[in-house]
C-alpha cells in the first residue's frame, strides 16, 4: 500500500476524538498525577480496585464522537501510569484483571466500528513504574524489561483487535527532557518496533512520536502546517495540562473556538484531534458534550468545506489575533471550489480582496441559495451582495465560491494601487 492510499481515509476525515481514560480519571487532577505528586507505584496501584467504568461507556464515546462529526477516535490504551485498558499476558496491571475486570479496549474497538468510526490506539512507551525509564544506566535490566514490555504489548494490540487504523505513540522522550529524537528511537528500538507493527497492520498510520518519522506529525495545543509530513493537531477542550479528567477545569474553549481550530486545521490540509477526558465512570461531562454536539450540528450543514479539504491560497485568518488582512475568516478549498468560513459576519455585503481567479458562482453552503457578486479582474476584489444582515449560522457561515480554476491569490505589484483605483 502506498503512503497516499494509507492516508486516504485520514485526509477525508479531518476530525477525530481523542480519549484520555485511565486510573488518573478517578483522581480528577489530570493524567500526570502519579508523577507530579510522586505517588509510589504500590500505593497508586490500589486505585485499580475502584476502576469501575459503567457498562456501555465505550458506546457512549463512539456515539458522541459520531454526533460531533468525527470520523475516528484515539483511546489511551495505556498512559504513562502503566495501567492497561486491555488484557495483556505481559502485565497484571490491567482493567481485564483488576477492578471492572473488563477489556475496555475491546469494548472500544467494537463500539467504534459499530458507529462507523476508524479505530485509533494510543500507547505510551514510557511507564513510570520502571526505574529503568528514569535511570537507564543505573537500572539496565529494568530498562530492558520496559522496552520488552512495549514490544510485547504493542504486538498484542496489533494482533488481538482486528484492523487498527491508527497508532499514536507517546512518551518516548527521556526522563531529563532532552528531546533528541534519534536517541528516543535508539532507546525504544523504534525502527524494529514499527517494522513489526507494519507487518501486522500493513494499512496502519503511525505518528512520529516514537522517534522515527513514520506518517504524521502530532503537535499539541496548536494548529500548524506539517513541517515534513501531514499534521494532526491535538488539543484539549480545557487547559493544556488536563487531558485526563480534571474536576475543576476553569478555561473551557467555546464551541466557536473549537470550530476555528478545526477549520484552521482543514485550511492547512491537516487534521484536528480534539480530546475528551471522561469522568471516573466513563461518562462524558456536560462541558465537553455540549461543545462536541455544537461542532457536530455545524458539520452537518458544512462538512463539505472540511472533509478532504486542500490548502487555500486566498486571504483569511481563522483565529482571533492572527490577522492575515482579512478578519472575517479563512478559506478552505477542494479543487476549484473555495469555502469562505466566516466567523465575523460582515452584514449584507462580503468583500474578499486579492482574488486572482475568475469567479463563476456564489452560494451559501448550508442552504444552496445563490447570491449576486461582482469580481473585478483588475484589482481582484470580489464583492458578494444581498446577504442576510445577521449571520446565517451563529458559529460560522460558509460561502461557497466556484472558480474557473484553482483559486489563487493576486500579487500586488504596487501596494498603493488601490488608493486611487478606478475601474
Ligand atoms: O504527557 C502526555 C500528555 O499527558 C498527553 O497524553 C499528551 C497527548 O498528546 N501527550 C503527552 C505530552 O506530549
Amino acid at each position: 500500500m502506498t503512503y497516499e492510499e494509507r492516508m486516504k481515509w485520514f485526509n477525508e476525515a479531518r476530525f477525530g476524538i481523542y480519549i484520555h481514560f485511565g486510573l488518573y480519571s478517578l483522581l480528577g487532577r489530570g493524567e500526570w498525577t502519579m508523577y507530579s505528586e510522586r505517588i509510589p507505584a504500590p500505593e497508586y496501584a490500589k486505585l485499580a480496585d475502584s476502576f469501575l467504568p459503567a457498562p456501555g461507556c465505550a458506546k457512549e464515546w463512539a456515539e458522541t464522537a459520531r454526533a460531533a462529526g468525527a470520523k475516528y477516535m484515539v483511546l489511551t490504551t495505556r498512559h504513562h501510569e502503566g495501567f492497561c485498558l486491555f488484557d495483556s499476558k505481559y502485565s497484571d496491571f490491567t482493567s481485564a484483571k483488576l477492578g471492572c475486570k473488563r477489556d475496555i479496549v475491546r469494548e472500544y474497538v467494537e463500539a467504534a466500528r459499530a458507529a462507523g468510526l476508524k479505530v485509533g490506539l494510543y500507547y505510551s512507551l514510557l511507564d513510570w513504574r520502571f526505574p529503568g525509564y528514569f535511570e537507564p544506566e543505573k537500572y539496565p535490566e529494568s530498562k530492558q524489561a520496559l522496552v520488552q514490555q512495549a514490544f510485547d504489548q504493542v504486538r498484542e494490540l496489533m494482533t488481538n483487535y482486528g484492523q487498527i487504523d491508527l497508532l499514536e505513540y507517546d512518551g518516548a522522550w527521556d526522563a531529563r527532557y532532552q528531546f533528541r529524537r534519534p536517541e528516543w528511537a535508539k532507546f525504544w528500538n523504534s525502527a524494529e518496533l514499527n517494522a513489526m507493527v507494519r507487518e501486522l497492520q500493513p494499512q496502519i498510520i503511525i505518528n512520529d512520536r516514537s522517534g522515527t518519522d513514520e506518517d504524521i506529525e502530532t503537535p499539541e495545543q496548536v494548529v500548524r502546517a506539517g513541517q515534513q509530513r501531514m499534521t494532526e493537531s491535538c488539543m484539549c477542550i480545557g487547559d493544556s495540562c488536563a487531558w485526563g479528567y480534571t474536576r475543576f477545569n476553569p478555561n473551557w474553549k467555546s464551541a466557536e473556538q473549537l470550530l476555528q481550530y478545526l477549520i484552521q486545521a482543514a485550511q492547512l490540509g491537516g487534521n484536528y484531534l480534539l480530546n475528551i477526558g471522561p469522568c471516573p465512570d466513563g461518562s462524558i461531562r456536560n462541558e465537553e458534550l455540549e461543545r462536541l454536539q455544537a461542532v457536530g450540528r455545524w458539520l452537518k450543514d458544512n462538512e463539505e468545506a472540511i472533509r478532504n479539504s486542500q490548502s487555500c491560497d486566498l486571504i483569511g485568518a481563522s483565529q482571533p489575533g492572527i490577522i492575515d488582512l482579512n478578519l472575517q475568516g479563512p478559506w478552505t478549498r477542494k479543487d476549484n471550489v473555495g469555502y469562505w468560513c466566516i466567523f465575523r459576519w460582515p452584514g449584507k455585503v462580503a468583500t474578499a480582496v486579492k482574488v486572482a481567479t475568475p469567479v463563476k458562482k456564489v452560494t451559501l453552503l448550508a442552504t444552496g441559495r445563490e447570491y449576486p457578486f461582482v469580481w473585478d479582474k483588475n484589482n481582484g476584489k470580489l464583492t458578494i451582495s444581498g446577504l442576510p444582515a445577521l449571520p446565517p449560522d451563529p458559529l460560522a457561515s460558509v460561502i461557497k465560491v466556484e472558480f474557473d480554476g484553482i483559486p489563487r491569490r493576486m500579487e500586488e505589484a504596487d501596494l498603493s494601487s488601490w488608493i486611487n483605483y478606478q475601474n
Side-chain angles (χ1 to χ4, degrees):
M1 242 184 169
T2 63
Y3 175 74
E4 283 70 29
E5 282 164 352
R6 283 190 295 113
M7 298 298 287
K8 191 168 177 284
W9 71 265
F10 196 68
N11 258 307
E12 269 160 20
R14 289 283 172 264
F15 185 35
I17 297 294
Y18 215 172
I19 304 166
H20 274 68
F21 192 49
L23 295 187
Y24 46 81
S25 311
L26 304 179
L27 298 173
R29 303 195 289 279
E31 75 288 354
W32 270 67
T33 308
M34 178 180 176
Y35 182 69
S36 59
E37 298 179 15
R38 303 293 198 276
I39 304 175
E43 188 187 327
Y44 191 82
K46 290 184 195 144
L47 283 171
D49 295 335
S50 316
F51 187 71
L52 301 165
C57 63
K59 220 166 146 221
E60 184 189 335
W61 304 338
E63 277 161 11
T64 304
R66 197 160 73 153
K71 295 290 181 188
Y72 64 102
M73 299 192 289
V74 180
L75 171 68
T76 52
T77 65
R78 197 194 80 165
H79 203 264
H80 313 333
E81 63 184 9
F83 185 68
C84 302
L85 299 188
F86 56 98
D87 194 11
S88 173
K89 275 197 224 145
Y90 304 96
S91 172
D92 290 331
F93 194 41
T94 76
S95 66
K97 292 178 186 155
L98 302 168
C100 64
K101 302 217 168 72
R102 282 157 44 205
D103 185 329
I104 302 294
V105 170
R106 187 164 305 284
E107 294 179 14
Y108 158 82
V109 296
E110 283 168 5
R113 290 186 192 123
L117 301 169
K118 294 282 186 185
V119 177
L121 302 182
Y122 163 111
Y123 182 85
S124 164
L125 292 163
L126 79 80
D127 181 335
W128 285 319
R129 299 169 308 146
F130 286 68
Y133 166 67
F134 295 96
E135 300 287 352
E137 312 279 304
K138 199 165 160 193
Y139 306 108
E141 280 173 21
S142 165
K143 185 240 158 170
Q144 190 44 42
L146 171 66
V147 175
Q148 188 59 48
Q149 176 186 257
F151 267 74
D152 290 335
Q153 292 192 331
V154 169
R155 192 185 319 100
E156 289 182 315
L157 290 170
M158 296 298 116
T159 310
N160 297 343
Y161 298 93
Q163 180 174 314
I164 304 302
D165 303 294
L166 175 62
L167 172 61
E168 304 257 13
Y169 292 112
D170 200 7
W173 61 83
D174 66 280
R176 293 195 159 72
Y177 304 110
Q178 300 200 341
F179 294 103
R180 295 187 195 124
R181 288 172 48 79
E183 284 180 27
W184 306 358
K186 212 165 129 205
F187 186 102
W188 298 103
N189 201 357
S190 305
E192 201 181 303
L193 181 65
N194 290 318
M196 173 186 80
V197 170
R198 291 199 190 279
E199 174 131 19
L200 294 167
Q201 298 279 346
Q203 75 301 320
I204 205 164
I205 295 171
I206 306 178
N207 74 352
D208 68 350
R209 291 200 196 175
S210 64
T212 53
D213 287 349
E214 308 305 331
D215 301 315
I216 54 169
E217 292 174 24
T218 54
E220 277 179 16
Q221 315 296 3
V222 288
V223 173
R224 63 163 168 74
Q227 283 158 350
Q228 286 158 37
R229 289 165 294 283
M230 191 187 150
T231 289
E232 180 200 55
S233 300
C234 53
M235 196 179 278
C236 297
I237 301 183
D239 282 330
S240 61
C241 54
W243 297 85
Y245 175 65
T246 303
R247 192 161 160 229
F248 301 107
N249 201 2
N251 297 318
W252 297 104
K253 295 176 188 71
S254 66
E256 286 87 340
Q257 281 173 300
L258 299 175
L259 205 51
Q260 287 179 0
Y261 287 120
L262 169 62
I263 292 172
Q264 193 192 15
Q267 179 193 30
L268 298 169
N271 283 13
Y272 188 51
L273 183 66
L274 184 57
N275 180 71
I276 55 171
C279 305
D281 67 356
S283 62
I284 302 173
R285 64 197 297 174
N286 280 338
E287 292 91 338
E288 295 180 337
L289 196 58
E290 59 201 21
R291 285 164 174 81
L292 295 184
Q293 287 168 343
V295 171
R297 278 194 296 275
W298 184 87
L299 273 170
K300 257 204 178 103
D301 286 339
N302 297 290
E303 67 175 344
E304 186 185 316
I306 301 296
R307 311 283 184 213
N308 232 344
S309 59
Q310 296 157 311
S311 60
C312 188
D313 204 25
L314 298 174
I315 296 175
S318 55
Q319 283 186 57
I322 301 176
I323 301 174
D324 187 13
L325 307 174
N326 176 337
L327 283 170
Q328 270 116 46
W331 291 79
T332 62
R333 177 180 74 83
K334 225 172 277 171
D335 301 325
N336 294 350
V337 180
Y339 300 91
W340 192 8
C341 304
I342 301 189
F343 291 106
R344 303 166 196 91
W345 188 250
K348 292 181 184 165
V349 178
T351 306
V353 297
K354 303 219 291 184
V355 177
T357 314
V359 176
K360 294 196 334 198
K361 190 175 171 186
V362 173
T363 50
L364 192 66
L365 179 60
T367 61
R369 184 165 163 189
E370 208 169 328
Y371 289 93
F373 66 90
V374 175
W375 173 69
D376 184 328
K377 69 170 191 282
N378 297 315
N379 70 351
K381 193 181 268 196
L382 170 64
T383 311
I384 303 166
S385 54
L387 293 165
L390 299 176
D393 189 303
L395 293 182
S397 307
V398 181
I399 297 183
K400 175 175 174 177
V401 181
E402 291 167 54
F403 292 92
D404 191 14
I406 291 178
R408 304 263 181 229
R409 186 185 289 212
M410 182 177 276
E411 292 314 323
E412 287 168 315
D414 176 346
L415 294 180
S416 71
S417 59
W418 59 274
I419 299 174
N420 294 309
Y421 179 80
Q422 280 183 330
N423 85 12

